[in-house]
Amino acid sequence: MREDSRRWIEGDRAHCWHPFTRQAEWCREEPLVLVRGEGVWLWDSEGHRYFDGNSSIWTNIHGHRHPRLDAAIRAQLEDVAHTSYLGFANPRASELAARLTALFPSGTLERVFFSDDGSTAIECAVRMALQYRLNRGEDTRTGFIAFENGYHGDTLGAASLGGVGRFTGLMQRFGLDVRRVSSMAELEATPTEWSNHIAAVIVEPLIQGVNEMRPWPAGMLAALRRWCDARGVHLILDEVMTGFGRTGRMFACQHEDVVPDFLCVAKGLTGGYLPMAATLTSGAVYDAFLGGADKAFYYGHSYTANPLGCAVALASLDVFEEDRVLETLQPKIARMAELLAGLKERSPLVHEIRQRGFIAGIELRQPDGSRFPADARTGEAVCRAAWSHGLLTRPILDTIVLMPPLATTEDELAFAVDALEKAIAQCG
């Protein structure tokens, strides 16, 4: 092992704390130290190359070191890296807000509140939804409806909305008043008076991510929009994972022509370059906050509307338009389906393929269809084995996530699926 690799690993073991990680095990293992990227590829400190199979935790859109995104950041650095958004404006934020709202029909999502990450985008929407009711004198509408097995982030409010116990179980004793349902049918069966205390419903549109990439039935989102409209309940869409082309449209809600009252985006907003988030909402919501100090929205972050983040987000939107990203993505979505269907045919451990657009979950089970013992951690073993075949990705339990950058070519996609097939065989 190179001297630099050893030094970095020892420093990590001595001082760092990783997310969603069993630290005792981590400190006994030899981690990869990722040092460089180009396109859909990453290199570790030992010089080995890997396909970025989960887009660096679902963030990267156009590939690493994209020349136009790099240039946008360098150009902004010539002016200023950061200025406060509290009491001041900046050019890139104004431009980005206009571009984002223009992605939706005129007169719908007209306002943008910038924050730092997916959790804070959700927190922002939740606090807006609550204060909107209070500002309008609707003091009894303080509850939320969320869906079982949903995931909306790790800050306290976002975590209390979640329905995945291993992430949110401890937090559900605190925070928001949340009622959970498992399906649209269950929600529609609830009494009308039940909704009189609800401020908003939150959902991951089209597909639940942390719930092992499980898609919603076709038409579910449109039905949910109708249910909310009939009861005066706001609809919050968590598009932190699904936004910016992942499902084949710019946003998942566009598949069913749904416009929410709040749209939360992060991850792909900057093309995977910088931490930044946005909560889009309607003019009607915004208008409820106009007036005296008692109606102002007292919420924000030191790096709100960071000019570097705004600049690279604008460049990402330029790439979508100039390179016709969504148009060229369609044959790659079809090719992914073909490759994964072949994988299922050849591997007895592949139980089910769940795909929406360029998002796929490959669920592994034993040949008889039964689940692997939880303590076997089969999904983790397969992903670790994939390193030796040049693929980086992560599992959700025993479901392997394949969510490559949209810039992936069909040949690169074939490489990733082949590497995954070899890793599954190695662990089977």
Side-chain angles (χ1 to χ4, degrees):
M1 179 175 285
R2 297 176 182 175
E3 184 177 343
D4 280 345
S5 297
R6 175 53 54 200
R7 176 168 55 86
W8 291 327
I9 290 172
E10 289 176 355
D12 183 291
R13 288 172 174 167
H15 303 293
C16 297
W17 192 345
H18 292 258
F20 305 110
T21 298
R22 300 175 181 92
Q23 283 294 137
E25 293 182 17
W26 172 268
C27 291
R28 293 194 298 266
E29 296 175 348
E30 291 294 322
L32 299 183
V33 181
L34 300 177
V35 298
R36 186 168 68 88
E38 185 172 349
V40 300
W41 302 95
L42 293 166
W43 281 261
D44 68 16
S45 56
E46 296 293 293
H48 301 121
R49 189 182 79 156
Y50 307 90
F51 179 83
D52 190 356
N54 73 346
S55 296
S56 296
I57 301 296
W58 314 352
T59 63
N60 194 277
I61 298 291
H62 307 296
H64 301 277
R65 290 184 60 197
H66 192 287
R68 278 175 282 181
L69 273 61
D70 288 2
I73 292 178
R74 292 191 182 100
Q76 181 59 44
L77 280 172
E78 293 295 322
D79 293 330
V80 66
H82 181 64
T83 58
S84 172
Y85 207 57
L86 176 58
F88 305 96
N90 77 65
R92 300 295 86 77
S94 300
E95 294 165 1
L96 179 58
R99 292 281 295 277
L100 291 173
T101 57
L103 296 171
F104 294 89
S106 177
T108 57
L109 298 179
E110 300 176 312
R111 295 285 172 170
V112 180
F113 193 97
F114 293 109
S115 58
D116 298 354
D117 58 30
S119 289
T120 57
I122 298 296
E123 295 283 344
C124 176
V126 165
R127 290 181 60 151
M128 282 182 177
L130 285 173
Q131 190 174 337
Y132 170 88
R133 301 296 178 177
L134 297 177
N135 285 356
R136 288 169 50 89
E138 301 174 16
D139 295 7
T140 62
R141 280 189 177 265
T142 57
F144 290 85
I145 294 174
F147 285 84
E148 294 287 357
N149 298 311
Y151 176 83
H152 303 290
D154 305 314
T155 51
L156 184 60
S160 66
L161 288 165
V164 181
R166 65 186 179 278
F167 295 114
T168 63
L170 294 175
M171 295 301 102
Q172 289 176 7
R173 294 179 295 169
F174 311 105
L176 303 169
D177 174 14
V178 181
R179 301 182 184 188
R180 290 179 186 79
V181 295
S182 60
S183 66
M184 194 62 222
E186 183 179 340
L187 179 60
E188 290 174 333
T190 59
T192 301
E193 57 270 20
W194 190 57
S195 62
N196 292 338
H197 302 286
I198 300 301
V201 177
I202 187 168
V203 69
E204 299 161 87
L206 221 64
I207 182 171
Q208 288 184 316
V210 173
N211 187 22
E212 300 180 79
M213 299 297 164
R214 296 189 185 278
W216 289 110
M220 179 273 190
L221 191 60
L224 181 57
R225 176 74 274 185
R226 292 192 296 270
W227 186 94
C228 291
D229 288 343
R231 292 159 180 80
V233 172
H234 281 152
L235 176 60
I236 302 172
L237 294 189
D238 179 348
E239 293 239 22
V240 171
M241 177 188 76
T242 56
F244 301 102
R246 292 291 182 197
T247 64
R249 302 288 296 273
M250 186 63 84
F251 299 103
C253 60
Q254 293 171 334
H255 286 272
E256 298 191 11
D257 296 323
V258 167
V259 178
D261 301 289
F262 300 92
L263 181 90
C264 302
V265 295
K267 291 190 182 295
L269 173 59
T270 66
Y273 268 56
L274 290 169
M276 189 175 195
T279 302
L280 281 67
T281 192
S282 66
V285 169
Y286 174 82
D287 288 346
F289 290 78
L290 301 179
D294 60 324
K295 289 192 174 182
F297 189 50
Y298 285 100
Y299 183 79
H301 300 270
S302 299
Y303 283 90
T304 291
N306 169 254
L308 292 175
C310 291
V312 73
L314 285 164
S316 176
L317 293 177
D318 288 341
V319 172
F320 268 105
E321 293 179 3
E322 295 165 10
D323 291 0
R324 298 180 297 113
V325 169
L326 296 179
E327 181 181 339
T328 60
L329 182 61
Q330 305 312 311
K332 291 188 280 191
I333 291 172
R335 182 58 177 153
M336 175 187 273
E338 292 174 0
L339 290 166
L340 291 177
L343 174 65
K344 187 176 188 302
E345 289 177 2
R346 293 187 297 273
S347 175
L349 300 188
V350 176
H351 173 71
E352 185 175 60
I353 304 293
R354 295 185 285 271
Q355 181 182 352
R356 283 294 181 270
F358 225 41
I359 301 170
I362 300 97
E363 184 180 356
L364 305 179
R365 293 194 185 184
Q366 298 184 79
D368 63 1
S370 61
R371 295 183 181 274
F372 288 100
D375 58 3
R377 291 156 62 180
T378 302
E380 292 181 37
V382 168
C383 288
R384 183 63 180 263
W387 294 4
S388 63
H389 303 289
L391 172 65
L392 298 182
T393 190
R394 287 182 61 86
I396 303 171
L397 300 179
D398 289 337
T399 295
I400 310 302
V401 176
L402 185 61
M403 193 189 304
L406 305 189
T408 302
T409 67
E410 292 189 26
D411 286 345
E412 290 166 337
L413 194 59
F415 172 90
V417 175
D418 180 66
L420 181 58
E421 182 173 356
K422 292 173 180 174
I424 293 171
Q426 184 176 327
C427 295

